[in-house]
Amino acid sequence: MSGVDFVREVDENVPAFRERLEGLIQTPPIYLLLALLVLISAGLAVQFSAAGGSGQPWFWPHAIRALAGCALMVGVALVDIRVWLRFAYIPLAITLALLLALEFIPSGLTVDRWIRIGSFQFQPSEPVKLALVLALARFFHDRRGRGGFLELVVPGIVIAVPAFLVWRQPDLGTAAAIVAVGCVTAFQAGLSLRVVVAGTVAAVGALPLLWWFVLHEYQRVRVRSFLDPESDPLGAGYHLLQSKIAVGSGGAFGRGFLGGSQTQLAFLPEHHTDFAFTVFAEEFGFAGALALVAIYALIIVWGVVLAQFVRNHFGRVLAASITFIVFLYAFINISMTTGTLPVVGYPLPPISYGGTAMLTLFACMGLLLNVYVHRDSVLGRRSQTVV
Amino acid sequence: MKPVELRHRHDFDRRSLLVLGLNGCLLAVVAERLYQLQILEHEQYAARSDDNRVKLQLLVPPRGRIFDRNGVLLAGNRWHHYLHVIPPSEDDGQRDMMLRLAHILQPSATQYSELHEILRSAAGDRGGAHGLVRLDSWEDVTKVASHSVLLPGVSVRRESERHYPAGEVLAHLLGYVSSVTQDDLSRNEVLAHLSNYQIGRVGFERASEKILRGKIGTLHVEVNAHGKPVRNLREKKAVPGKDLRLTIDYRLQRYAASLLAEETGAAVVIDTVGGEALACCSSPSFDPNLFVTGLDQATWSSLSNSPSTPLVDRAVRGRYAPGSTFKVAVALAALEAGHDPNTTIFCGGVREIGGNRFHCWRRSGHGRLSLTEAIAQSCDLHFYELALNLGVDRIAEMSRRLGLGAVTAADESVNEQAGLVPTKAWKKETYRKSWYQSDTANIGIGQGYLLVTPIQLALMTARIASGRELSVRFVQGVASHGVDEGPSTAAEFGPGDSLAGPLDIQESSLAFVRDAMSAVVNNPTGTARGAAIGRTDFRMAGKTGTVQVRRITAEERKAGVKKNEELPWKFRDHALFIGFAPLEQPRYAVAVVVEHGGSGSRVAAPIARDLLLEAQRLGITDPDREAGPIA
């Protein structure tokens, strides 16, 4: 392909490095699957420990969801990427409809951020991130190089609407994550530099407005307690303080599986959901926690490197942006539990208990594998015929 | 490929790698943070984790019990179940907890207000002092236990509370305990962490606090976030308080209390061999159990403001003029000074001393009386004469030898008043006045400045009866004892003290006075002949006393002295009696004071007689432990 030749010419100074990277991608994604397996095992260990060493109530449901997630991942990977390209706007339409349903359907079927059908609960604010990436990837795949007014307005609306609906739930953490995912996707997909600079300036300028007009009082309290958690150890800062105590008391090698007193004696709140990482860090120490971070980093690097070698814009944008979703899970959740970000209630799949986030993650991994499988396919714009 | 396509691809590569780099930096920050928390600040957080999970519990030992000489329980511990509540920190949680408790327990009005107080006061105070609410029925206990899932932070505890089975009968001597006050906390802040701790306030409970309270133990408990104990880490056992065994015989004490029930006064019975107090009763009394659970303001003020002062222990703190009972001491002083007891002194009913007219209680006078007759008929003029001849200081010296003017107990187990034995030097120092003849004459009949307590009178009598320099003993022994089940046996208490040495008084003088005291009761002319004991082996000896509490004016004497029954209660005479029995081999000495009772012979003597009879009937003291012949 001439495209590859062209890149080689441009990056003449580092051809050997690039070849090595390509080699990493050429091998079957066994490392990716191994990394995923380790994460699932860590999640199962945490769910077992959080229940005080019992399979109920979290370990077995978690295991079943992990299995379902793997099946979903394989399914998503096997569907031809052209199908995903063709129907790329459908998931966003569905998730937006569900978010709107949460807004307008009175309680009964819905609880806060959940849609409830029988015993089944579904949280549309999780898959909306992936749906957004799909839609933006398709949009920029079709419009690459055209520039103009639409390139600013359409992504703006597509990002703002779900973010607003999620903020209304209210779930500030996920809303912020949706904005971040959307912006990073648009940025990587080829948003013109002028728009990027203007948008950044506008965002910084809007921060004070955000603080006074967008944040709820309880959210401001959380931010304040994040800035000074010791000031109110039994109030809003209690969760964070207990989490930091748990992580810190884990030390270098942890207090041993089922040996974390913060977890086992229930000082740590939400220990099987938002603070699942804390449980892991308390019981497996710095060694375990760092290993977990490293595995997430491995997945992220793999995804971005893969993106460099994909021959279609849709797949490139998908791989890089899906990787960013995974990064956000790890970064927000771990920062939140260790006190570098406010406590915003952001899960860490597949460690945290919670089906929607877990399935979203596996769908992400499935798409990543899909892009890997079709890395050499050349896709035309949907408005044109395929080359 | 069109160049524009390639340009975009190049853009993408640069931008995605930029994002990757940024993400890498952020993950590095995360890792650095983990390093900071888990490696650099590990020790700090490990300590805080232990602070969370390990709670120090102070173990309060059961308080030592108090028994009478026969092992009858006088002060013990009753176990109750208490609701122990750790209030939730948030307002909503407190309201919710209150609703649940109210629904499950259906508490009484007082329980409800106690619960409310606990939930309100301890808000936001994790690990601080927790409140207790007493559960009165077993049904309540099971209700809480079976709903424990719905009541996080609520548990049932078994704790002890002081209980006085003897109630009013022995209130003064035992005293009582009550809950920790702000004042106690300012002296010892550890007390704030003890739930339901009680401190001795009065009587033995206070005096023997150190013996009774034992040593507080510690227990390190691992607790969960709700404060529920998970397991014990290490324990230093509490040392239970030691039991006290008193010399008091509960049967005799109860009998004394019943005899005095309608009166205001005191009765003391002591054993003349070892000086052991067998009964020590003050009337009116109060129920010490009221103080344990906390007294309400109305009850407290009615007790402390009552004109009959039920809270005062008259037996050891009531100071009275001994009146004619003191004549035995004057007689002893005279005999020791070489007075011939057969010398007769004329009583014409009145004589003048230092410009004042001094009367005998019998207006017509007794005529010529020897010392024995003077004691038996309690002739006042006879003792004015003796006292004037002796001088006050020799009387005071004899009084001290007999145990007056000083606390009677060898130890400080009872909070006694020392009374007052006046001397010339004392008056000079206190009033800056000279001692007059009339002062001496008044001392001669046990009036004037002289003040004694009932227990001092009993000790004086016991010393005369035994000829030994006895001290009063209230405690037979102290025993290490564990748990609160059943009375302990006598063997666990230490042996009694050895016999006291002889008094510094000639036996012939003592024998003379004892005979004269026998005449008081057993002679047809004796003032207490009405109280004589018929059974020859139980016969008693004694001395009456009737103490004026008002001054009789010259006009009244002309018009005829009013009888006690004609006077308002508070102007009536105090009735006193001292005595011992049996006559031949004295075992028991008694002193009775009835405030405003009227005549000593009519009111006090029968009470004394009944007590001595009952003591002998019961055979309280060990018959093998004889005083032996007095040299």
Side-chain angles (χ1 to χ4, degrees):
Chain A
M1 286 294 262
S2 59
V4 176
D5 294 342
F6 180 81
V7 171
R8 284 224 176 98
E9 283 162 27
V10 170
D11 293 338
E12 247 172 344
N13 47 343
V14 283
F17 174 68
R18 197 174 166 89
E19 260 168 20
R20 255 203 313 227
L21 274 185
E22 194 165 9
L24 178 72
I25 300 304
Q26 296 299 341
T27 55
I30 186 77
Y31 298 113
L32 184 75
L33 296 176
L34 270 179
L36 215 49
L37 198 65
V38 172
L39 289 183
I40 292 167
S41 307
L44 288 172
V46 164
Q47 297 308 321
F48 190 74
S49 178
S54 163
Q56 289 298 340
W58 300 310
F59 176 86
W60 287 114
H62 197 71
I64 290 164
R65 285 170 186 173
L67 278 176
C70 289
L72 178 72
M73 175 174 74
V74 173
V76 168
L78 290 182
V79 173
D80 193 298
I81 197 164
R82 290 169 188 85
V83 177
W84 288 115
L85 180 66
R86 175 165 190 168
F87 299 111
Y89 293 122
I90 304 299
L92 184 65
I94 293 171
T95 48
L96 277 178
L98 289 173
L99 284 173
L100 279 167
L102 276 180
E103 186 76 11
F104 294 110
I105 296 176
S107 55
L109 281 177
T110 64
V111 179
D112 293 335
R113 48 190 83 157
W114 304 89
I115 286 179
R116 190 176 292 214
I117 301 161
S119 62
F120 183 75
Q121 286 188 346
F122 188 71
Q123 193 180 0
S125 55
E126 283 301 326
V128 83
K129 286 175 275 190
L130 181 56
L132 184 63
V133 165
L134 262 175
L136 286 175
R138 162 73 189 274
F139 177 78
F140 283 103
H141 177 82
D142 288 350
R143 287 196 56 81
R144 55 184 187 257
R146 291 191 183 165
F149 183 63
L150 265 184
E151 213 170 283
L152 180 61
V153 172
V154 173
I157 292 170
V158 168
I159 293 167
V161 169
F164 175 76
L165 288 172
V166 170
W167 168 74
R168 291 264 300 159
Q169 285 179 348
D171 184 354
L172 184 70
T174 308
I178 288 168
V179 172
V181 168
C183 291
V184 166
T185 307
F187 172 70
Q188 294 183 134
L191 203 62
S192 82
L193 213 54
R194 269 177 304 177
V195 175
V196 171
V197 172
T200 309
V201 171
V204 171
L207 272 181
L209 295 175
L210 206 70
W211 175 261
W212 287 115
F213 298 108
V214 178
L215 293 191
H216 291 265
E217 178 54 33
Y218 86 94
Q219 288 165 333
R220 283 198 285 265
V221 168
R222 274 194 189 171
V223 174
R224 279 196 216 103
S225 86
F226 154 73
L227 294 174
D228 185 11
E230 317 278 320
S231 66
D232 182 16
L234 295 176
Y238 179 74
H239 291 196
L240 174 58
L241 187 61
Q242 295 304 331
S243 176
K244 278 166 74 179
I245 289 173
V247 172
S249 66
F253 298 103
R255 309 190 58 177
F257 184 48
L258 303 179
S261 65
Q262 289 284 103
T263 303
Q264 303 302 331
L265 301 174
F267 288 101
L268 186 64
E270 314 282 340
H271 53 10
H272 66 292
T273 54
D274 289 349
F275 288 94
F277 176 80
T278 309
V279 175
F280 191 83
E282 185 187 24
E283 299 196 342
F284 297 97
F286 181 61
L290 198 65
L292 221 55
V293 173
I295 287 169
Y296 278 105
L298 183 76
I299 293 172
I300 291 158
V301 170
W302 193 88
V304 175
V305 170
L306 167 67
Q308 313 305 309
F309 297 96
V310 176
R311 292 174 190 242
N312 51 75
H313 199 63
F314 181 64
R316 274 201 292 267
V317 175
L318 268 189
S321 303
I322 283 170
T323 305
F324 186 71
I325 293 176
V326 176
F327 162 80
L328 274 188
Y329 276 133
F331 174 70
I332 295 182
N333 182 274
I334 299 176
S335 298
M336 173 182 99
T337 55
T338 53
T340 37
L341 279 183
V343 176
V344 287
Y346 203 76
L348 179 66
I351 315 286
S352 294
Y353 191 78
T356 319
M358 171 108 92
L359 291 180
T360 302
L361 180 83
F362 279 107
C364 286
M365 301 318 287
L367 266 181
L368 206 56
L369 290 174
N370 191 310
V371 172
Y372 168 78
V373 171
H374 297 96
R375 62 192 181 280
D376 290 328
S377 304
V378 177
L379 306 177
R381 296 166 209 248
R382 280 299 300 165
S383 51
Q384 299 174 349
T385 48
V386 177
V387 177
Chain B
M1 275 292 165
K2 283 174 275 189
V4 68
E5 177 82 357
L6 295 174
R7 181 171 61 77
H8 273 276
R9 168 142 183 205
H10 191 56
D11 261 5
F12 171 82
D13 287 353
R14 279 200 317 203
R15 290 186 179 186
S16 65
L17 287 173
L18 180 70
V19 170
L20 177 68
L22 201 68
N23 292 355
C25 289
L26 289 174
L27 283 184
V29 168
V30 164
E32 193 278 334
R33 177 67 174 170
L34 286 170
Y35 179 76
Q36 186 192 358
L37 287 179
Q38 299 194 286
I39 304 296
L40 298 181
E41 297 176 1
H42 164 64
E43 279 181 21
Q44 174 202 335
Y45 287 111
R48 295 188 69 159
S49 169
D50 277 349
D51 276 355
N52 264 349
R53 81 189 168 97
V54 181
K55 289 278 176 282
L56 178 69
Q57 257 181 28
L58 295 173
L59 304 173
V60 179
R63 194 173 171 86
R65 296 160 299 167
I66 304 178
F67 296 98
D68 92 332
R69 63 186 300 118
N70 300 314
V72 175
L73 185 70
L74 301 175
N77 306 312
R78 270 208 300 218
W79 294 88
H80 294 291
H81 285 93
Y82 292 87
L83 195 65
H84 179 250
V85 182
I86 301 168
S89 49
E90 316 85 31
D91 282 352
D92 285 351
Q94 287 163 27
R95 220 170 294 126
D96 184 52
M97 169 91 78
M98 192 71 212
L99 282 173
R100 287 181 190 201
L101 280 171
H103 183 72
I104 290 165
L105 265 183
Q106 311 282 350
S108 66
T110 46
Q111 281 177 328
Y112 189 89
S113 60
E114 280 174 339
L115 276 173
H116 192 76
E117 186 68 19
I118 289 164
L119 285 170
R120 199 168 49 85
S121 66
D125 180 20
R126 232 172 243 255
H130 311 308
L132 290 175
V133 178
R134 192 164 129 184
L135 296 173
D136 294 314
S137 69
W138 186 247
E139 199 187 335
D140 284 349
V141 175
T142 50
K143 272 187 207 161
V144 174
S146 59
H147 290 85
S148 60
V149 180
L150 294 175
L151 299 169
V154 174
S155 57
V156 175
R157 285 190 181 184
R158 197 163 162 269
E159 301 210 22
S160 68
E161 187 178 270
R162 203 58 162 170
H163 174 59
Y164 304 100
E168 297 198 344
V169 170
L170 209 61
H172 297 102
L173 209 54
L174 290 179
Y176 50 80
V177 298
S178 68
S179 303
V180 173
T181 62
Q182 276 303 315
D183 203 33
D184 299 321
L185 290 181
S186 65
R187 260 175 280 131
N188 186 355
E189 58 205 31
V190 174
L191 294 174
H193 305 287
L194 303 173
S195 62
N196 239 28
Y197 195 66
Q198 297 188 309
I199 297 175
R201 301 298 177 188
V202 188
F204 278 112
E205 292 280 25
R206 178 198 175 106
S208 304
E209 172 73 18
K210 283 201 176 109
I211 297 169
L212 292 168
R213 100 177 132 211
K215 282 211 178 82
I216 288 168
T218 55
L219 175 62
H220 292 261
V221 199
E222 189 172 80
V223 298
N224 68 12
H226 305 300
K228 275 221 160 105
V230 178
R231 66 193 164 113
N232 294 349
L233 298 175
R234 54 187 182 277
E235 181 176 6
K236 192 176 139 230
K237 283 223 178 341
V239 180
K242 288 183 171 154
D243 291 346
L244 275 186
R245 193 185 190 87
L246 302 188
T247 59
I248 298 290
D249 186 296
Y250 175 64
R251 299 166 299 177
L252 191 64
Q253 176 77 23
R254 191 180 51 195
Y255 186 60
S258 72
L259 292 176
L260 281 177
E262 303 298 318
E263 311 284 359
T264 301
V268 178
V269 181
I270 62 178
D271 144 55
T272 60
V273 179
E276 295 180 346
L278 302 176
C280 190
C281 176
S282 173
S283 178
S285 186
F286 61 94
D287 183 359
N289 292 305
L290 292 176
F291 287 83
V292 175
T293 45
L295 220 51
D296 61 90
Q297 194 59 42
T299 317
W300 166 248
S301 57
S302 80
L303 277 175
S304 58
N305 298 335
S306 166
S308 59
T309 60
L311 296 178
V312 173
D313 188 354
R314 292 176 158 78
V316 300
R317 292 186 64 79
R319 302 197 299 171
Y320 302 92
S324 298
T325 59
F326 188 65
K327 284 171 181 164
V328 296
V330 178
L332 271 176
L335 290 169
E336 287 294 283
H339 176 73
D340 179 1
N342 294 319
T343 313
T344 56
I345 296 169
F346 179 75
C347 166
V350 63
R351 68 168 283 188
E352 194 189 284
I353 299 164
N356 291 315
R357 289 165 67 84
F358 277 70
H359 293 264
C360 184
W361 65 269
R362 181 186 274 186
R363 291 202 68 195
S364 56
H366 289 94
R368 289 205 159 272
L369 294 179
S370 69
L371 183 55
T372 305
E373 291 164 325
I375 291 173
Q377 297 174 32
S378 202
C379 175
D380 290 337
L381 252 58
H382 197 101
F383 283 90
Y384 296 145
E385 182 71 26
L386 289 183
L388 291 174
N389 290 343
L390 283 166
V392 67
D393 287 349
R394 269 193 280 188
I395 297 174
E397 214 262 89
M398 177 53 71
S399 305
R400 294 198 173 278
R401 258 188 260 176
L402 291 172
L404 306 182
V407 296
T408 62
D411 50 34
E412 291 178 355
S413 53
V414 170
N415 184 15
E416 285 183 67
Q417 282 279 7
L420 175 62
V421 174
T423 59
K424 288 178 181 169
W426 168 83
K427 190 179 176 189
K428 191 90 193 156
E429 194 179 310
T430 312
Y431 293 106
R432 311 218 168 275
K433 277 187 189 158
S434 313
W435 187 269
Y436 300 118
Q437 291 264 295
S438 53
D439 293 333
T440 310
N442 267 330
I443 299 295
I445 60 161
Q447 306 251 13
Y449 300 115
L450 190 62
L451 290 173
V452 301
T453 62
I455 190 127
Q456 284 175 332
L457 284 178
L459 179 65
M460 177 180 83
T461 313
R463 284 187 175 185
I464 291 170
S466 69
R468 294 183 186 280
E469 199 173 4
L470 299 167
S471 298
V472 180
R473 289 176 56 217
F474 290 95
V475 183
Q476 265 195 341
V478 172
S480 296
H481 203 72
V483 202
D484 211 64
E485 265 108 37
S488 47
T489 57
E492 293 176 280
F493 291 91
D497 293 340
S498 52
L499 282 173
L503 272 179
D504 186 19
I505 300 172
Q506 288 179 46
E507 173 56 23
S508 60
S509 308
L510 289 166
F512 182 89
V513 170
R514 279 184 221 128
D515 284 345
M517 287 172 77
S518 171
V520 169
V521 181
N522 300 311
N523 268 18
T525 55
T527 52
R529 58 191 175 277
I533 293 174
R535 258 181 81 169
T536 50
D537 56 336
F538 277 13
R539 281 195 301 169
M540 77 165 176
K543 181 71 194 83
T544 56
T546 306
V547 178
Q548 285 174 21
V549 293
R550 68 199 175 102
R551 197 175 178 84
I552 299 174
T553 59
E555 295 80 53
E556 191 188 335
R557 283 197 193 278
K558 259 180 224 152
V561 176
K562 282 184 179 151
K563 291 220 163 62
N564 265 309
E565 291 73 22
E566 299 164 0
L567 291 166
W569 185 79
K570 66 173 186 171
F571 293 132
R572 292 180 197 170
D573 299 337
H574 290 340
L576 280 74
F577 191 84
I578 59 172
F580 61 85
L583 201 53
E584 286 73 26
Q585 191 65 264
R587 301 285 322 206
Y588 307 105
V590 66
V592 174
V593 176
V594 179
E595 287 180 19
H596 310 297
S599 155
S601 58
R602 269 208 313 277
V603 178
I607 294 175
R609 173 198 62 200
D610 291 348
L611 280 172
L612 286 176
L613 260 177
E614 180 69 4
Q616 293 178 88
R617 195 183 64 74
L618 293 170
I620 292 167
T621 49
D622 180 6
D624 297 336
R625 193 160 170 251
E626 284 296 339
I630 299 155

